[in-house]
Amino acid sequence: MLAHAFKPLIIKGRALLPIVQGGMGVGVSAHRLAGSVAHEGAVGTLASVDLRHHHPDLLERSQQTHDQAELEALNNEALAREVHQAKQLAQGNGMVAVNVMKAVDAHPQLVRSACAAGADAIVMGAGLPLDLPELAGEHPDVALIPILSDVRGIAVLMKKWLKKGRQPDAIVIEHPAHAGGHLGATRITDIRDAKFEFERVVPETLALFDELGVTRDSVPLIVAGGVNSHQKVGHYLGLGAAAVQLGTAFAVTEEGDAHPNFKAVLAGAKPEDIVEFMSVAGLPARAVLTPWLKNYLNREERLQGNAKADPRRCTQGLNCLTSCGLRDGISKIGQFCIDLKLAAAMRGEVGKGLFFRGADPLPFGDAIRPVRELIDYLLTGRRAELLG
């Protein structure tokens, strides 16, 4: 394992590098990225949403049916394959986690499938994962890691879980002003609220643990959003966090599972190219202003005005979200098929895809570097390009 000056991240008795790779769908963080990160001794994370896109045989079978149960079964098969492949790449190192969005309708089965396939941890956000202990109840060795953004949400979850005799094995604290993809705020206007600042949330959470009689070290805190330098890693670990999580920086590594065009769009985006909008899932989201998104936002008001509940609007037949702005006619939120748009982005279709991205500059600018170099830089400050 890489030598560094920080304390290890301890989850389920495992000593890990204090670096977590965030889960990114559709198919952006699949087995190659997650397995490569875990191989280095850190936490690699598969995004469970619609991994069929990495398996041509499953996609072909999908085209022969519109039955939701059959499509979900194919997704679960893809997830199991990806977990097995990631574990093989990891070779027993680090930890392979699976991110499951609470907002996804099939989240209970995805949790069970990930656990059965051998995932080391389940990470869940996009809603309060109050039922996660029950969903993973038959797999007590699997670490359970909720994603939250403020101390109020953490307090609600901790009290509910403790009544069930379970506490989180770690908590990801995600800052909506910096993270990519779906954000942990109710409205876009709330994203930059001071209650989300790590300098506030981390100490407040540690004080909450004291109030609840929870040993501070027993629930490591992982800060996520805007971590793009060795200096920031040192700052947040000094603040009381046990690890940091990065998404976009890992998405653009050589081992990232998405198309090179996807990586180029994310790495090349300037601050003015990154926008916030309401996702079809009913959450604020952050992405690059690519041609499709620019066109969509220009038409958003009109599309929202024409919103109507119609199950036929789910042309995929997957009904992937519990609540979908397009299918359910919810006029205040997104009016597009998020599965289609994220899959197009993963395939590198710049004119058609939705390219989720964090708000901050990347550690290596627009350069595409290996996972090992990124982790090395974050933990030691060394930059390989400066050495050779």
Side-chain angles (χ1 to χ4, degrees):
M1 191 180 292
L2 176 70
H4 60 92
F6 302 118
K7 292 181 181 178
L9 167 65
I10 308 294
I11 298 179
K12 286 287 189 184
R14 299 190 193 192
L16 307 159
L17 296 179
I19 301 291
V20 178
Q21 166 249 315
M24 297 165 284
V26 167
V28 174
S29 60
H31 77 270
R32 186 162 179 254
L33 177 57
S36 298
V37 173
H39 183 264
E40 298 300 324
V43 180
T45 309
L46 292 153
S48 62
V49 176
D50 207 355
L51 285 163
R52 294 174 301 161
H53 295 279
H54 286 299
H55 300 270
D57 63 318
L58 300 183
L59 277 181
E60 185 177 349
R61 287 162 60 186
S62 299
Q63 291 167 1
Q64 299 168 11
T65 181
H66 270 75
D67 181 78
Q68 184 174 337
E70 290 182 30
L71 292 171
E72 289 177 358
L74 293 172
N75 279 334
N76 281 287
E77 184 174 342
L79 174 58
R81 290 184 190 180
E82 292 287 326
V83 171
H84 293 151
Q85 291 174 300
K87 297 276 282 189
Q88 287 174 350
L89 272 177
Q91 296 182 335
N93 299 323
M95 181 173 277
V96 173
V98 172
N99 178 288
V100 180
M101 287 178 59
K102 174 72 172 173
V104 170
D105 191 53
H107 73 268
Q109 184 55 47
L110 289 170
V111 169
R112 297 186 188 105
S113 294
C115 290
D120 299 313
I122 302 295
V123 184
M124 185 176 282
L128 273 174
L130 301 181
D131 58 347
L132 186 53
E134 290 91 342
L135 297 178
E138 295 182 7
H139 300 272
D141 294 334
V142 176
L144 304 183
I145 306 174
I147 303 175
L148 300 153
S149 290
D150 63 14
V151 74
R152 184 170 176 269
I154 293 170
V156 169
L157 180 132
M158 287 293 297
K159 290 171 184 177
K160 292 283 189 181
W161 281 33
L162 288 172
K163 285 182 180 178
K164 300 172 184 180
R166 181 72 192 252
Q167 63 184 45
D169 295 290
I171 294 174
V172 175
I173 301 173
E174 188 173 81
H175 198 315
H178 300 280
H182 290 109
L183 308 174
T186 305
R187 298 169 298 185
I188 292 176
T189 52
D190 297 335
I191 287 171
R192 292 169 182 81
D193 194 302
K195 69 180 180 180
F196 298 124
E197 294 296 330
F198 294 142
E199 286 77 6
R200 175 171 167 178
V201 182
V202 171
E204 287 179 343
T205 302
L206 295 174
L208 171 69
F209 290 169
D210 295 340
E211 292 174 22
L212 296 175
V214 172
T215 306
R216 290 186 172 195
D217 290 343
S218 68
V219 186
L221 302 181
I222 302 164
V223 299
V227 181
N228 58 3
S229 69
H230 171 65
Q231 290 74 20
K232 285 187 179 179
V233 173
H235 172 71
Y236 293 132
L237 297 190
L239 190 66
V244 297
Q245 175 174 296
L246 297 87
T248 306
F250 277 111
V252 303
T253 57
E254 290 179 0
E255 295 89 341
D257 291 276
H259 191 279
N261 289 350
F262 177 94
K263 300 175 188 181
V265 167
L266 267 61
K270 298 177 175 61
E272 60 268 26
D273 299 327
I274 302 167
V275 297
E276 296 139 13
F277 61 99
M278 285 302 292
S279 165
V280 67
L283 296 166
R286 179 172 289 113
V288 181
L289 191 63
T290 48
W292 173 80
L293 183 54
K294 185 174 183 178
N295 179 266
Y296 167 74
L297 292 176
N298 285 338
R299 298 183 300 127
E300 182 181 49
E301 188 174 343
R302 179 166 60 84
L303 291 170
Q304 289 176 333
N306 292 329
K308 61 179 179 179
D310 186 349
R312 292 173 298 179
R313 287 190 163 193
C314 182
T315 57
Q316 303 289 78
L318 187 56
N319 291 299
C320 59
L321 297 173
T322 303
S323 179
C324 169
L326 180 65
R327 179 197 65 207
D328 301 335
I330 305 171
S331 61
K332 300 294 185 183
I333 62 177
Q335 301 294 313
F336 57 90
C337 176
I338 194 166
D339 183 76
L340 280 176
K341 293 303 168 186
L342 291 177
M346 183 270 293
R347 292 192 298 268
E349 298 173 10
V350 179
K352 297 180 180 179
L354 172 58
F355 292 74
F356 280 158
R357 189 200 191 280
D360 297 80
L362 297 175
F364 298 127
D366 61 2
I368 308 301
R369 310 294 294 187
V371 158
R372 177 173 291 182
E373 286 188 20
L374 175 60
I375 294 175
D376 189 9
Y377 166 64
L378 293 170
L379 293 179
T380 71
R382 288 191 297 261
R383 289 182 179 270
E385 66 266 31
L386 299 180
L387 300 177

